[in-house]
Structure formats: structure tokens, C-alpha cells
Amino acid sequence: MYDTIIVGGGSAGCALAGRLSEDPGHRVALIEAGPADRSVLIHCPGGLAVMAKYQLNGWGYHTVPQPGLHGRRGYQPRGKVMGGSSSINAMIYARGHARDYDDWAAQGNPGWSFQDVLPYFKRSEHNERGADDWHGQGGPLNVMDLRSPNPFLPHFLEAGRQAGYPINDDFNGPQQEGIGVYQVTHRNGERFSAAKAYVTPHLGRSNLQVFTDSLTSRVLTEVRDGQVRATGVELRGQGGRGVPQHLMLKPGGEVVLSAGAFGSPQLLMLSGIGPADHLREHGIAVVRDLPGVGANLHDHPDVVMVVNAPQVTDLFGLSLTGAWNMLKGIGEWRRSRRGMLTTNFAEAGGFIRSAADEPIPDLQLHFVVGKLVDHGRKTVFGHGYSCHVCLLRPRSRGSLRLASADPQVAPLIDPAFLQDPDDVRRLVQGFKLTRELLSQPALARHGGRESAASAEARSDAQIEQFIRHHADTIYHPVGTCRMGPDEGAVVDARLRVHGVSGLRVVDASIMPSVVGGNTNAPSMMIAEKAADMIREDRSAS
């Protein structure tokens, strides 16, 4: 029996397990559907390209056909391995804008303003630059500057300067806006996932038990005096094919779902907690009618502009020079953990405004030295560079629903990309600003030419069609277990599921609205804050 059972060994689950198990009297179980994070492709940052191309260490989800993308099904990679998506992502450390968290608090969630959450960001962080008002040292998560940045990056930064943008060397400092190089979750030239930060160093703790290759099929509940309470979970080993076993809670214990924006609402619904009519459609007995479960799904829509530049050697393009550099890079990484394989690919970028009267940046750029096509899953001949532009605060809202009562069947994922006309307008403007940046002399002198696919799109209407044909996610789904005090919310401000005691959700699914940046660091912040709330509530009971 356990004091806390955590379902999902991703960014939030690992952080929560590491913090709660610091108390030797608090017994914690951490359950991950995927395997242990032993692959060299995880630990070598450049292994990201191989994992993306062959969909390794992930669930391999796709959306339902998206009308806003001309009926295409979008790709939705989520980590299925210890560390979750922090073991397969591009390792960017970004928190979002302070106003994002102030908006959460303004929506009826006390304790979630930026001044409330900044201490948790700092507590989680060991920033190799040092501690200051914005950054921490001594935390479990190592954050650093790239060890071997691509030598082509200064040309991108100079192009940004020529386009009129400020150069920003710290997107997590007092000012988010500008063009710069991202800090990354690396240490000594290796990926530093949430698993390596919060769990791996503590596997010897007697009060922490980690289950890998174990699929949780449902939360166990009981009803007493009209009150629903979580009592444990049912899981299956061997990738979900094993004999069911039950992990039970001690009196007063809690189940915490940290399975992400797709896994957490799916598991709630499989357990009878969600929209009653939808559950009955799948023959699931209703334990708690909670219509908000699976609603409010949204994500950062993103489109990529690709530039052909034969003079720019990268890791994506196939050529004799590229192959030779790759072999040299492998040797250098193995010898000294330096060189081109320490890349996170999206090494530089920035936060910009789609119009001068926007109060804060509403667009984010990710600059990649390489011709990035279809999430890097397509083989590309020749060399060049690419620039993502994503919309940071989309208005479109979709949903996640069950496809089956079988926990091994992927859910129906509908982020409703580009459903709202305002999203299209902003992304069109972002595309034009990206084209303008990439056309500056600092980059143009390298002889790059925009790929034919996008070069033909000149008018706003043509650009919109290009976007609808090529846009997809930048991997930041949130919102499906929304935090709030209203009837449509799933959890309260202390992340407790409305109407079910002993059950919380701690991951990006609780975000009322997506932050203006990458979601990995905020997911760990949420877990850091949740650990304190769980301790406080236990002490008060």
C-alpha cells in the first residue's frame, strides 16, 4: 500500500515522485507504460533526429482528420519511456510569459500567478550560469548553454538584428521578447530528462517503487455515503498484456494522474469519471459525471519555412560531406561529449509580436540548421536551414474522447487546429515576418533559396493555403483536465479532481490556457508546486 500512486513517468510524474519520496515515511509508486530510459538515442541529444524519424520511444499518436488542415491527420508524438516527452523532446528550457500565469490566477485559480510559481521554477533549476532573481541553482534539473553551438547561429542572430528585433540572451529573464539562443536541459553534453533529474539518482530509496512497461488501465474507486473516493489503480505489466494487478492506497493516500494531456483524461474516462453520455456510449459505468474531462484541448499550431542552402552543412541532409561530418560527430561525442551531436536542433529562435500593438509576444520561432520536413521523418537530400513559427495563444479549442473502452486503444485527439479565424490571421502574419527575417543580408549572402513549396505563396490567401497544407503541432498539447472553480473545470486550484477525493491531476492537462512557450519546464513547475500542496494537505488532515 502506498501514500501516493503516480501514473505517468513523464516530466511531471518524475518531478513529483522525486520530491514526495524525499520524505522517507512517504511511500510512493511511480508507474510508466514505457520502458526504462536506457537507449543511447535518448542520452545523446542528436539522437532526437533518429527517434523522430522512426517514432521511437513514443506513443505515435495522430489526430483525427483536421478540417482546418484540409482534412490531414496531424502527428502527435508523446513520450512512452521513463522521462516521458522530456526523453524525446528538443530539450529547450522555456517557461512562457509572466502574464500567462497571472491569467491563470485571474481565472479563479489562487496561488498560480507568476510571483507564486517563480519560486518553483527556481527550486527545480540548476542553471549553470548561476542564480539570480530569475534563476536557481542547486535544483535537480540541469539547465545550461549549448556546449557546442552550431557555428551558423551568429548569422541567424545577425539577421534578427537586421530585421529590427532585440537580441535576447535569456528568454526566462525579465524580458521574453527578442531573438537568441535557447538554453537547454543538458548536462555534460547529454540530455538531462526529468527522469535523470528527479528519479534516477533516487532509485535506491526504499520508499520509492518504479514500475516500467506497466499500463494503468483504470483508477479504482469506492462510494461511501454518496462520496466517491479513489482507492488505488489497476495496472497490467508487459506493455499492457500481463495479468492485472492492483496497487492500493493507504488510508488518506492519493492517486495522482501525470499521464499528460492525452493520457490523464483518457484514464479518467476509462475509470468512469467524465462526460456521462460519452462514457455510456462505451459501456463504462459512470462514477462521476464530469463534462469537462477531455474538453479544452489546444496546442501550438506551427508551420515551417525551409531554405535550400548547399553551403550550410547540417545533420539532416544527405551528402558525402554530411555523412563524413556525422561520423566525426559520433566519434567526438563518444570521446568527449562535445561536437555536432550535442545539438538539440532547435538551437536558436525567439519570441516576437505579430503586430506592433500586441502587448506581449504572440509568436515563437525555432531556428534549425537543417531542412526539416514532416517532423524530420522524411529523408531530405541536400542542405539548408529551417525556421518554425508557432502561434503562442491559439483561440481554437478541441477535445479528447475515447475510441474504445480498451486502454490499449489510442484516444480520439482533436485539437481543432486553425478553427478560429484569428489563429489563421496571426499565423499568416507570423509566416510573413519569418520570411522577412530569413531574407536579411546576414542569411541571404549564403545563397539560400526558399523551398518551392512555400516560395510560391505570396498573397495572404496563398500563404493561408500553404499553412493549411503544411501546419501541424509543435508538441505542446494542454488543457484537457482544466483547472478552475467552474462547472466545466476538472480540478481545483490544488489540482484535486472535482467530486472525487483522493485523486489529483498533475501535468500539462491542468493548464487553463497554454503558456507562451515550450511546456516542459512548466510541467515540472506544476509538479514542484503540487508536491508542496500534497504535503500541506496531509499535514492538515
Side-chain angles (χ1 to χ4, degrees):
M1 299 182 74
Y2 299 90
D3 296 289
T4 304
I5 298 172
I6 303 168
V7 180
S11 299
C14 285
L16 186 61
R19 287 305 190 191
L20 291 180
S21 62
E22 290 174 346
D23 176 0
H26 191 113
R27 193 169 184 213
V28 178
L30 176 63
I31 306 168
E32 167 56 40
D37 55 333
R38 297 190 181 98
S39 171
V40 68
L41 297 175
I42 293 173
H43 302 300
C44 174
L48 163 64
V50 179
M51 290 192 290
K53 183 175 181 64
Y54 297 105
Q55 302 183 44
L56 303 177
N57 298 311
W59 289 91
Y61 289 138
H62 288 79
T63 70
V64 299
Q66 295 292 286
L69 304 183
H70 289 322
R72 291 184 294 116
R73 298 179 68 213
Y75 179 46
Q76 292 280 332
R78 297 284 89 197
K80 187 181 181 183
V81 64
M82 275 302 298
S85 294
S86 76
S87 287
I88 68 170
N89 69 357
M91 297 157 275
I92 291 172
Y93 183 80
R95 299 171 176 171
H97 198 281
R99 188 174 296 188
D100 297 321
Y101 302 98
D102 292 341
D103 286 346
W104 290 7
Q107 293 175 51
N109 298 298
W112 290 93
S113 73
F114 184 68
Q115 288 306 310
D116 292 320
V117 303
L118 178 59
Y120 291 104
F121 278 117
K122 293 171 67 175
R123 187 171 81 176
S124 75
E125 180 186 15
H126 177 78
N127 197 304
E128 293 190 7
R129 291 185 183 178
D132 57 24
D133 290 343
W134 300 89
H135 296 286
Q137 270 202 324
L141 181 68
N142 206 75
V143 178
M144 63 179 288
D145 298 322
L146 284 161
R147 205 171 201 190
S148 302
N150 194 296
F152 193 72
L153 296 187
H155 303 298
F156 172 74
L157 300 182
E158 181 58 25
R161 194 191 312 273
Q162 291 170 346
Y165 299 111
I167 301 302
N168 189 344
D169 70 347
D170 184 5
F171 295 124
N172 302 299
Q175 179 72 23
Q176 185 194 49
E177 187 170 8
I179 301 296
V181 179
Y182 291 110
Q183 283 201 293
V184 291
T185 50
H186 286 188
R187 189 172 73 179
N188 297 330
E190 294 187 4
R191 176 193 293 273
F192 207 69
S193 69
K196 292 179 83 170
Y198 286 95
V199 175
T200 304
H202 310 303
L203 289 174
R205 289 176 178 169
S206 61
N207 63 322
L208 173 62
Q209 189 168 3
V210 178
F211 298 82
T212 54
D213 290 305
S214 298
L215 180 70
T216 302
S217 53
R218 63 187 176 112
V219 177
L220 304 174
T221 56
E222 65 178 14
V223 180
R224 287 188 181 180
D225 302 323
Q227 301 297 312
V228 181
R229 175 168 184 82
T231 60
V233 300
E234 179 182 271
L235 61 85
R236 295 170 180 259
Q238 301 173 25
R241 295 180 295 277
V243 176
Q245 62 173 307
H246 292 171
L247 303 187
M248 305 305 294
L249 289 171
K250 292 179 181 179
E254 291 185 304
V255 172
V256 178
L257 303 186
S258 296
F262 303 150
S264 289
Q266 180 187 24
L267 191 51
L268 284 174
M269 289 187 279
L270 291 171
S271 307
I273 302 166
D277 290 344
H278 178 62
L279 301 183
R280 293 188 185 105
E281 289 174 5
H282 292 281
I284 298 171
V286 178
V287 171
R288 174 77 167 94
D289 181 12
L290 208 55
V293 173
N296 193 48
L297 173 61
H298 57 293
D299 193 354
H300 287 147
D302 173 270
V303 68
V304 184
M305 181 178 292
V306 178
V307 175
N308 300 304
Q311 303 172 29
V312 181
T313 302
D314 58 76
L315 284 174
F316 287 107
L318 295 183
S319 72
L320 290 176
T321 301
W324 174 241
N325 285 340
M326 173 69 80
L327 289 173
K328 289 195 299 183
I330 292 172
E332 190 172 2
W333 187 79
R334 292 183 65 182
R335 287 191 307 271
S336 63
R337 295 301 194 258
R338 295 183 181 277
M340 64 192 303
L341 288 186
T342 63
T343 184
N344 70 319
F345 294 99
E347 295 186 13
F351 295 87
I352 64 175
R353 291 176 287 161
S354 62
D357 58 356
E358 287 294 328
I360 58 176
D362 58 338
L363 301 167
Q364 183 178 2
L365 307 180
H366 296 86
F367 182 74
V368 179
V369 182
K371 293 163 60 176
L372 187 65
V373 178
D374 192 24
H375 299 265
R377 292 184 296 166
K378 288 186 177 178
T379 300
V380 180
F381 293 92
H383 300 281
Y385 48 88
S386 309
C387 194
H388 294 256
V389 56
C390 81
L391 176 64
L392 289 175
R393 294 174 191 86
R395 295 183 181 180
S396 301
R397 292 295 185 270
S399 65
L400 180 135
R401 289 291 180 257
L402 296 176
S404 167
D406 182 347
Q408 296 189 78
V409 175
L412 302 175
I413 299 166
D414 181 11
F417 281 133
L418 306 185
Q419 178 176 287
D420 191 294
D422 186 71
D423 294 353
V424 179
R425 178 185 64 80
R426 290 174 187 268
L427 205 50
V428 167
Q429 183 62 19
F431 182 91
K432 292 193 292 186
L433 292 172
T434 302
R435 173 180 275 160
E436 181 181 350
L437 190 160
L438 298 184
S439 67
Q440 297 301 312
L443 290 173
R445 66 171 171 259
H446 294 278
R449 292 187 177 183
E450 185 178 341
S451 69
S454 63
E456 296 175 357
R458 309 312 299 184
S459 69
D460 285 5
Q462 290 170 331
I463 292 171
E464 176 181 340
Q465 290 308 305
F466 174 81
I467 290 170
R468 291 190 185 279
H469 277 295
H470 295 276
D472 207 337
T473 178
I474 195 67
Y475 324 116
H476 302 151
V478 305
T480 48
C481 296
R482 178 173 64 84
M483 171 174 61
D486 57 287
E487 292 184 0
V490 177
V491 300
D492 65 14
R494 299 188 72 80
L495 309 187
R496 300 171 296 201
V497 174
H498 289 299
V500 184
S501 61
L503 182 61
R504 298 189 202 233
V505 180
V506 177
D507 57 32
S509 71
I510 65 95
M511 294 184 184
S513 51
V514 66
V515 298
N518 309 74
T519 51
N520 187 47
S523 296
M524 286 181 267
M525 175 278 292
I526 289 168
E528 288 272 7
K529 183 172 173 62
D532 271 5
M533 293 190 292
I534 290 171
R535 293 189 192 103
E536 292 163 1
D537 291 349
R538 282 175 58 84
S539 297
S541 62

